[in-house]
């Protein structure tokens, strides 16, 4: 024990130290948290209209538990930490008493906490148990009672002792059998409680919401709300029209069922016709549990239903009895929560950004908040119509989401938390950077744009930054700050002179220089050309930019096309155009029909290309880059063309390959006539799997698509499918 852990007064041997006394500030905070948690529970369980995200609710419960652990006098039997759910729900449904208490689960939010729980559980049992791991469904907990094999009652969890009778609505769910299928080997007990989760499958939820939106009706915030709202319809025929499903993951009263492990119960359920999750495994050791958590963390958006974590249980039923339960949760199970993908934060302002093609995009400025593993303080709102559709006001408490994507999104406001001080966002009428009047490009456009394309500082800065991006010239030393610094110093006034930059230019840009040392100023130490200028010399970043620019001159044609910031022309279209036409001059000379006929291009991109080439200053950029040595034609136009070994084939590359980057693998596929896709489907011809491959590799196996390693990929490139036989 370290000396800083020794208390000031050491109690006599055998004495128990007095617990700390809660001060007024602790009591105030405890009362505040109890009120907030109870309000949130009532909204969530009673009204199916949550006012807080799961992450915000979890954080309050953790703080409440910590306060009560520090000051036990604050813990009372009616504290939310000692109860399940929200007490009596607001409902027209009759109450149903559960034959056996329907407990909730305790949560942990880090792998360290999970490891500590597993260690405590192992120590309490005297041996490490077999762990049953399953995904944690974000649905509505339901208890099914079967008497002599027939469904008699379906009820919500309620306060864990009494729930709501939703039998009529549950009977409309196809996954719930009206009668269990008994066999001679597996007879059905006189009474059995099957517990599980009713959920809205993700694909069905998205389709259902789209239908509501088309009908002008309010959409559901998430699948959990949709499932809960559907089960609480007064008219069961309404529930019947909603494609709900269910998974059983627990058992209550079960007199006469001969099973020793929970995993055996699952198999018995399956034999009786009860739905059981396909996503569970019995595992030995902590390492296997962590691997399960990691695997499903990668796949969480590819499953049938939404999940927010993994439940780890002791599989042996006798060991479960030994461990017992608290007043609200079993000691033999724990829920590990993944980092939140939806959180609450305060929207402080809505500002606008002017992009490389002039599009003006509003974005939210928020109190920084951690979501899905990173801290976020800004999120796009797309356009003024989207701000109105979401109903967001400046000052709102908003729901922020980062689900399956790196781009954060403001889902909408928490209307119940408004104070009246919120204000409506007004879209600007003039460009905030150049003052030009904003307008839509066409009358039907939702977006408005700055028409000053050639001289608007914002558009020029964004075009320079985009030209340097990884999908274009890949100029590492030219980021957003560098682009702004070059323009601010006046060494560039458009992107045409980008490849004419010299050391003499860069030494005038503070961002690419550093202060010279005394020895450098005195000439006692050699410095990079052009030497010391106004007390500064070219920095390592400045030297790197010149090296990057020299290397970028030889990038393939498709990257040059991306770097030109032609509206709608991204990497996919650029690769297809480069593969078909081979040179920028050929693309410029092609007819609209020829361009549109190119795979992955179409009429909209064709029109955008032709309009771009008609602008004088656009052509000046091409001429300047060509004069500076930028490659304007691929080598295959002058040398022998690559064999089209992959014509008509769709190939997905996932994981890390030794001899190919992601871009070079795509280039190798496209240049041989194939299509490089980003997701696996039944139309995928081959999936190339490298180190660290995740859900795409699993999807390939699930769909029975051919899987290749890197050696097989090389054979496919060289000889086509026939070379693999």
């Amino acid at each position: 024990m370290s000396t800083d852990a020794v208390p000031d007064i050491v109690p006599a041997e055998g004495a128990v130290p007095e617990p700390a006394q809660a001060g007024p500030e602790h009591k105030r905070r405890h009362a505040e948290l109890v009120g907030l948690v109870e309000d949130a529970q009532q909204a969530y369980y009673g009204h199916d209209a949550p006012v807080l995200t799961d992450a915000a609710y979890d954080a309050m419960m953790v703080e409440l538990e910590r306060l009560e652990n520090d000051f036990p006098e604050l813990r009372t039997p009616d504290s939310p930490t000692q109860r399940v759910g929200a007490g009596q729900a607001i409902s027209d449904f009759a109450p149903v008493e559960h034959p056996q208490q329907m407990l909730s689960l305790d949560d942990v939010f880090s792998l360290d906490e999970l490891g500590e729980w597993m260690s405590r559980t192992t120590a309490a049992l005297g041996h490490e148990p077999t762990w049953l791991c399953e995904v944690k469904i974000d649905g509505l907990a339901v208890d099914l009672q079967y008497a002599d094999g027939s469904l008699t009652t379906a009820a919500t969890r309620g306060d864990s002792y009494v729930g709501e009778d939703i039998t009529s609505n549950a009977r409309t769910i196809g996954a719930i059998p009206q009668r269990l299928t008994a066999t001679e080997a597996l007879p059905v007990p006189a009474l059995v409680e099957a517990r599980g989760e009713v959920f809205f499958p993700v694909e069905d939820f998205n389709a259902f919401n789209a239908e509501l939106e088309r009908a002008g009706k309010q959409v559901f915030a998430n699948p959990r709300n949709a499932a809960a709202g559907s089960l609480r319809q007064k008219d069961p025929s309404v529930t019947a029209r909603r494609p709900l499903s269910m998974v059983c993951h627990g058992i209550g009263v079960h007199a006469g069922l001969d099973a020793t492990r929970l995993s055996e119960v699952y198999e018995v359920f399956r034999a009786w016709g009860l739905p059981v999750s396909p996503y569970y495994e019995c595992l030995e050791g902590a390492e296997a549990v962590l691997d399960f958590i990691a695997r499903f963390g990668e796949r969480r958006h590819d499953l049938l239903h939404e999940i927010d974590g993994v439940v780890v249980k002791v599989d042996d039923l006798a060991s479960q009895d030994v461990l017992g339960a608290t007043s609200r949760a079993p000691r033999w199970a724990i829920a590990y929560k993944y980092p939140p993908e939806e959180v609450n934060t305060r929207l402080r302002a809505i500002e606008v950004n002017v992009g490389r093609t002039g599009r003006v995009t509003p974005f939210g400025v928020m109190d920084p908040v951690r979501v899905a593993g990173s801290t976020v303080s800004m999120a796009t709102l797309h356009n003024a119509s989207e701000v109105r559709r979401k109903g967001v006001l400046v000052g709102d408490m908003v729901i922020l989401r980062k689900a399956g994507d790196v781009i954060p999104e403001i889902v909408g406001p928490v209307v119940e938390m408004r104070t009246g001080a919120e204000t409506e966002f007004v879209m600007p009428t003039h460009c905030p950077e150049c003052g030009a009047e904003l307008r839509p490009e066409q009358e039907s456009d939702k977006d408005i744009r700055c028409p000053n394309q050639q001289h608007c500082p914002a558009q020029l800065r964004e075009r320079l930054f985009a030209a340097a991006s990884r999908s274009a010239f890949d100029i590492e030393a030219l980021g957003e700050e560098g682009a702004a610094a070059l323009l601010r110093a006046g060494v560039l006034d458009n992107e045409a002179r980008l490849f004419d930059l010299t050391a003499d230019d860069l030494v005038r840009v503070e961002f690419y220089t550093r202060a010279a040392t005394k020895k450098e100023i005195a000439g006692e130490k050699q410095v990079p050309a052009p030497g010391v200028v106004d007390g500064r010399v070219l920095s390592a970043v400045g030297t790197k930019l010149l090296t990057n620019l020299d290397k970028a001159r030889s990038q393939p044609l498709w990257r040059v096309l991306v770097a030109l910031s032609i509206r709608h022309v991204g990497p996919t279209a650029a690769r297809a155009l480069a593969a078909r036409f081979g040179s920028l001059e050929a693309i410029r000379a092609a007819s609209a029909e020829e361009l549109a006929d190119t795979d992955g291009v179409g009429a909209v991109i064709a029109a955008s290309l032709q309009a771009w080439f008609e602008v004088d200053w656009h052509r000046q950029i091409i001429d300047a880059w060509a004069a500076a040595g930028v490659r304007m034609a691929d080598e295959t136009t002058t040398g022998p063309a690559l064999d089209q070994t992959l014509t008509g084939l769709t190939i997905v590359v996932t994981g890390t390959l030794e001899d190919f980057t992601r871009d070079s693998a795509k280039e190798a596929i496209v240049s041989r006539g194939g299509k490089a896709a980003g997701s696996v489907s039944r139309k995928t011809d081959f999936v190339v799997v490298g180190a660290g491959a995740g859900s795409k590799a699993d999807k390939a196996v699930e769909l029975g698509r051919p899987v290749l390693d890197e050696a097989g990929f090389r054979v496919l490139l060289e000889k086509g499918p026939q070379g693999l036989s």
Side-chain angles (χ1 to χ4, degrees):
M1 187 175 189
S2 61
T3 54
D4 60 355
V6 178
D8 293 334
I9 301 174
V10 180
E13 188 175 349
V16 178
E18 289 292 325
Q21 295 297 305
E25 70 280 8
H26 302 125
K27 293 177 180 177
R28 278 196 301 271
R29 181 56 177 162
H30 183 269
E32 180 184 15
L33 285 170
V34 167
L36 289 170
V37 167
E38 288 180 341
D39 287 347
Q41 287 181 336
Q42 192 63 68
Y44 186 87
Y45 294 105
H47 299 285
D48 302 318
V51 295
L52 294 175
T53 61
D54 287 350
Y57 176 81
D58 288 341
M60 288 197 303
M61 282 294 286
V62 167
E63 186 182 352
L64 190 60
E65 288 172 350
R66 187 179 296 122
L67 265 176
E68 292 182 356
N69 288 336
D70 291 344
F71 308 104
E73 67 188 91
L74 298 176
R75 185 184 290 118
T76 60
D78 62 347
S79 169
T81 64
Q82 306 302 300
R83 294 184 283 106
V84 176
Q88 186 62 41
I90 304 302
S91 174
D92 293 325
F93 295 94
V96 173
E97 187 172 346
H98 301 304
Q100 189 178 97
Q101 186 185 5
M102 195 173 176
L103 296 169
S104 183
L105 287 171
D106 285 332
D107 299 324
V108 292
F109 302 94
S110 73
L111 296 178
D112 287 341
E113 288 179 291
L114 175 63
E116 290 169 6
W117 176 84
M118 293 174 72
S119 297
R120 287 197 307 272
T121 304
T122 297
L125 292 173
H127 66 277
E128 183 166 19
T130 296
W131 306 105
L132 188 153
C133 293
E134 59 193 10
V135 296
K136 185 176 182 297
I137 303 172
D138 192 13
L140 182 72
V142 170
D143 179 65
L144 305 176
Q145 293 182 38
Y146 286 87
D148 297 321
S150 293
L151 178 66
T152 57
T153 308
T156 62
R157 176 160 48 203
D159 66 357
S160 83
Y161 294 101
V162 178
E164 301 165 293
D165 188 343
I166 53 167
T167 309
S168 297
N169 289 349
R171 289 187 188 281
T172 70
I173 299 173
I176 298 177
Q178 305 301 305
R179 185 165 187 82
L180 301 182
T181 306
T183 66
E184 187 174 342
L186 292 171
V188 176
L191 175 64
V192 63
E193 283 183 283
R195 284 150 174 196
E197 215 85 12
V198 169
F199 63 90
F200 220 123
V202 174
E203 287 189 12
D204 294 324
F205 170 74
N206 293 333
F208 185 69
N209 255 359
E211 190 177 322
L212 289 177
E213 194 165 12
R214 282 194 296 271
K217 299 178 181 178
Q218 184 176 357
V219 299
F220 282 103
N222 53 55
R224 192 268 170 199
N225 285 11
S230 299
L231 273 181
R232 289 194 173 119
Q233 293 293 319
K234 294 179 182 179
D235 182 357
S237 67
V238 177
T239 307
R241 292 196 292 271
R242 300 181 179 180
L244 299 176
S245 191
M246 183 177 178
V247 161
C248 294
H249 53 54
I251 189 166
V253 170
H254 58 282
L257 175 60
D258 186 20
T260 60
R261 310 180 84 82
L262 184 57
S263 53
E264 289 179 39
V265 172
Y266 286 5
E267 293 310 309
V268 171
F269 277 0
R270 198 190 306 274
W272 285 344
L274 286 164
V276 177
S277 173
Y279 312 122
Y280 83 88
E281 296 175 19
C282 291
L283 303 168
E284 306 293 338
E287 189 173 333
V289 172
L290 296 180
D291 177 67
F292 182 95
I293 289 169
R295 279 189 285 120
F296 279 94
E298 287 183 358
R299 295 180 57 193
R300 62 187 294 188
H301 300 295
D302 300 329
L303 307 184
L304 294 171
H305 45 65
E306 291 282 356
I307 67 170
D308 60 358
V310 165
V311 179
V312 182
K313 301 176 177 178
V314 173
D315 188 34
D316 182 67
L317 297 178
S319 296
Q320 291 182 9
D321 291 339
V322 169
L323 292 165
T326 67
S327 62
R328 64 180 300 274
R331 291 192 177 94
W332 46 264
I334 200 78
Y336 166 77
K337 291 288 202 76
Y338 288 120
E341 296 192 315
E342 281 194 359
V343 295
N344 290 119
T345 188
R346 185 71 65 183
L347 179 65
R348 297 298 177 184
I350 298 178
E351 300 177 0
V352 297
N353 172 64
V354 182
R356 62 195 177 102
T357 61
R359 179 186 175 194
V360 179
T361 305
F363 64 93
V365 180
M366 302 159 298
D367 288 341
V369 62
R370 194 159 181 82
V371 54
S374 63
T375 300
V376 173
S377 59
M378 292 186 292
T380 182
L381 283 162
H382 301 293
N383 52 50
S385 299
E386 186 73 356
V387 177
R388 287 192 297 273
R389 188 187 73 80
K390 290 180 183 289
V392 174
L393 302 179
V394 176
D396 266 334
M397 181 66 72
V398 295
I399 300 170
L400 182 71
R401 174 169 62 198
K402 200 163 76 165
D405 204 344
V406 295
I407 301 174
E409 173 197 7
I410 294 173
V411 178
V414 183
V415 177
E416 293 81 358
M417 297 184 72
R418 281 182 173 159
T419 64
E422 296 80 13
T423 57
E424 191 170 345
F425 166 68
V426 178
M427 196 74 175
T429 57
H430 291 76
C431 176
E433 299 236 13
C434 72
E437 186 174 358
L438 303 175
R439 61 174 185 262
E441 193 167 68
Q442 299 176 7
E443 284 188 18
S444 59
D445 284 354
K446 290 183 179 179
D447 296 326
I448 58 172
R449 296 178 182 273
C450 171
N452 185 19
Q453 294 181 350
Q454 184 174 6
H455 300 295
C456 175
Q459 292 184 61
L460 179 51
R461 181 177 63 247
E462 293 298 318
R463 288 201 304 272
L464 274 175
F465 178 48
S469 68
R470 290 182 62 182
S471 60
F473 283 123
D474 195 14
I475 303 171
E476 189 178 342
L478 181 55
E480 199 162 10
E481 287 185 61
L486 289 168
L487 297 172
R488 197 165 49 243
V491 300
L492 287 182
D493 56 10
N494 64 33
E495 59 266 56
R497 283 200 61 246
L498 176 61
F499 289 94
D500 295 328
L501 287 173
T502 64
D504 289 326
D505 293 322
L506 293 187
V507 81
R508 295 162 45 201
V509 184
E510 185 175 350
F511 182 82
Y512 290 107
T513 62
R514 60 171 174 81
T517 65
K518 291 181 180 179
K519 287 186 177 181
E520 288 171 337
I521 292 172
E524 298 173 11
K525 186 177 179 181
Q526 190 175 359
V527 297
V532 179
V533 178
D534 295 331
R536 300 188 69 83
V537 295
L538 203 61
S539 67
V541 177
T543 303
K544 187 175 185 178
L545 176 58
L546 294 173
T547 303
N548 287 167
L549 286 169
D550 189 51
K551 182 180 177 182
R553 288 181 172 88
S554 59
Q555 290 283 22
L557 175 62
W558 73 267
R559 288 181 173 274
V560 178
L561 275 169
V562 174
L564 289 170
S565 286
I566 303 170
R567 192 176 174 192
H568 304 305
V569 178
T572 300
R575 282 190 178 94
L577 289 162
R580 177 171 182 185
F581 296 100
S583 72
L584 203 60
E585 187 56 41
I587 294 171
R588 180 179 172 181
S591 67
E593 291 75 16
E594 289 173 320
L595 293 170
D597 189 47
T598 304
D599 185 36
V601 177
V604 172
I605 296 177
S608 183
L609 277 162
Q610 291 204 312
W612 191 91
F613 280 114
E614 289 173 0
V615 178
D616 289 344
W617 65 272
H618 289 167
R619 295 197 299 272
Q620 290 167 10
I621 294 171
I622 296 172
D623 294 342
W625 284 2
V630 174
R631 184 166 136 187
M632 294 291 161
D634 281 339
E635 293 171 0
T636 53
T637 58
T638 55
L642 291 171
D643 290 338
Q644 299 298 284
T645 52
L646 307 183
T647 299
L649 299 180
T650 298
I651 299 165
V652 174
V653 178
T654 180
T656 303
L657 304 181
E658 288 186 9
D659 296 332
F660 295 87
T661 63
R662 184 171 297 182
D663 285 333
S664 68
K666 286 183 178 179
E667 207 165 319
I669 293 166
V670 173
S671 63
R672 289 165 174 81
K675 178 181 179 181
S679 59
V680 180
S681 71
R682 297 190 186 280
K683 295 182 180 179
T684 304
D685 293 291
F686 293 95
V687 179
V688 180
V689 174
S695 59
K696 292 177 185 177
D698 295 336
K699 188 76 169 179
V701 173
E702 183 183 324
L703 296 177
R705 309 319 300 149
V707 174
L708 302 176
D709 59 11
E710 187 166 353
F713 182 44
R714 291 195 195 93
V715 173
L716 182 66
L717 292 173
E718 184 180 348
K719 299 180 180 179
Q722 60 271 23
L724 298 170
S725 55

